[in-house]
Structure formats: structure tokens, C-alpha cells
Amino acid sequence: MFSRKNATNVLGQIYSLSDNKVSPSAAPKMPLKNTADRAYKIPVFLSHPSMLNATQTRFLNRLIDEIERALLFPRTLPDTEQYPNKTITSVRRMILSSYGLIAVNMQQVFANYTMTNIPGGTPPPPSWEGAPFLQIEPSMGYQRGLPLLLIKEAGVNSIGVWNPSVVPFFIIEWDSSKPLDEFFNRVEWREIFQNWVAQVRNGYFIQTQPSYQYGPDDL
């Protein structure tokens, strides 16, 4: 017979009488907990160069931490995932399965221009060039209609989608010669980032609504 005493013993194995917490034997297993944590994060595409120096790596790690603290999941090729397709096809797959895009255009190669295609033309001044895919991935995200947040390292040339006079969105600049906290504590950064996070969440809830609407305020 299952007596009240037996029931008390069973409950005592699950809950500690001293602190009223779940005992380790009844706590969720770590892989399950990790899965649950990740399940509540909305996927966003993090576009960045693959060739990074120490300062750029620290900035990228801090940025990833900021994104994850906003309960978003930063995805990037090939760090978090890779597909058996050509790179441009993998990028398209990532774009179509993300709800926002954040791109960081960092110094890659210093170019000293010597001539132009026009004889006697004046070449542009020397400047840092970014990675080619930092032109492709934000463009594909914009075509998709994803909320975009663009960060450019100071000194990188402003061409293509990184030209403020061409694109309809704001580009925030990061000075790698200054401490990281100076950038991430700026009111300008916090305002732009929180606005982007809100757009990502709003888009996520809109895109995951059912196709059949039986009322104006379906839950």
C-alpha cells in the first residue's frame, strides 16, 4: 500500500526541505537545458570578415555577447553552421531563415591606389578595404526586408552599401583605437541596437502568425 509516509519520502527526494529547491537528481539534464535555452532565441544573421586581428576578435566577441543578452541567436558562416552548397547559396539559406541581420565591416587590406581606368585620372586616396561578402550579405538582407544594423570600423572605405548617401539606413562607426566600453556604452549605440532588437522581435511575431486569421486579434 502506498501510504502518506511513502509519499512524503518520495517528495523529500525531489525537494529539499531546507531550501525548497529541486534536488540534483530531479533537475533537468544539461543537454536538455542547453536545448531549452537556445529554443527561446530568435535567429539573426551575423555578417563579419573571417580574417580578424586580436582587437577585432575582442570586438566581435563583445558584440556576440550583446546579441545573446538580448535573447537573440547570432548565426554566421561557417562558425555556427555550414551547408553542403556553394557559399552564396548558403548565405541565401541563412538570409531566408533569419529574422534580422547585423553586419560588421572591418579593416582587411590597406589599398594604395596608383591609377584609374581613365588616363591622367586622379586615383582615390589610400584606404582600408573590407571583405567582399560584407557587400553581398547586407544587400541580400535588404532585398529580403530584414531589419539591418551596420557597423563599420573607422578607416574602412565607404563604398557600395557602406556609402551613407546611398543606403536608407544609419551606419554606426567603431574606432578600434579606443576602448571597447567607449563604443558599447555610447547612447547612440544603445539606442540603435535596442531599436534593431525591437524590429527583429516585431518581425518575428509577424512572420510566425498563422496564415489563416479567424479574427483581428488572434493569439
Side-chain angles (χ1 to χ4, degrees):
M1 179 180 296
F2 192 76
S3 64
R4 179 176 298 179
K5 180 178 179 181
N6 293 334
T8 302
N9 291 337
V10 171
L11 292 175
Q13 294 176 1
I14 300 179
Y15 293 96
S16 171
L17 297 179
S18 60
D19 55 11
N20 198 32
K21 293 181 179 179
V22 179
S23 67
S25 61
K29 301 302 182 182
M30 185 58 65
L32 181 61
K33 183 178 185 303
N34 291 340
T35 302
D37 289 343
R38 180 169 173 175
Y40 287 98
K41 296 178 181 178
I42 301 172
V44 294
F45 189 178
L46 174 59
S47 174
H48 67 87
S50 57
M51 185 174 64
L52 303 175
N53 59 35
T55 302
Q56 293 169 340
T57 300
R58 286 194 297 269
F59 179 86
L60 186 64
N61 289 339
R62 175 68 178 273
L63 179 62
I64 291 174
D65 183 62
E66 295 281 332
I67 297 172
E68 290 181 339
R69 278 194 288 176
L71 296 181
L72 302 178
F73 173 51
R75 312 164 65 204
T76 181
L77 293 168
D79 300 320
T80 61
E81 52 201 285
Q82 184 59 277
Y83 303 98
N85 307 106
K86 296 294 184 180
T87 303
I88 195 70
T89 304
S90 298
V91 170
R92 182 179 62 183
R93 191 181 304 276
M94 293 274 287
I95 292 290
L96 294 176
S97 57
S98 297
Y99 295 92
L101 185 143
I102 182 168
V104 188
N105 197 7
M106 297 180 175
Q107 299 175 357
Q108 295 292 285
V109 178
F110 189 78
N112 190 7
Y113 305 99
T114 59
M115 65 179 64
T116 69
N117 61 322
I118 301 175
T122 302
S127 63
W128 285 94
E129 293 187 354
F133 272 90
L134 265 298
Q135 296 286 346
I136 299 174
E137 292 166 351
S139 300
M140 295 176 69
Y142 179 70
Q143 177 68 23
R144 173 68 172 168
L146 298 180
L148 301 183
L149 198 165
L150 303 188
I151 306 171
K152 183 172 75 72
E153 184 177 359
V156 178
N157 52 23
S158 301
I159 61 175
V161 298
W162 298 92
N163 187 342
S165 63
V166 174
V167 294
F169 36 79
F170 185 77
I171 300 173
I172 188 170
E173 190 170 270
W174 162 57
D175 190 345
S176 56
S177 65
K178 298 180 179 179
L180 290 182
D181 287 340
E182 183 170 327
F183 175 84
F184 288 102
N185 291 336
R186 284 164 56 184
V187 175
E188 181 185 32
W189 158 254
R190 296 203 302 269
E191 182 180 9
I192 292 175
F193 180 68
Q194 292 301 326
N195 183 63
W196 176 77
V197 170
Q199 290 180 340
V200 170
R201 292 190 176 281
N202 185 57
Y204 171 79
F205 287 112
I206 291 175
Q207 296 301 323
T208 54
Q209 286 289 327
S211 58
Y212 176 77
Q213 300 288 330
Y214 57 86
D217 299 314
D218 293 342
L219 300 178

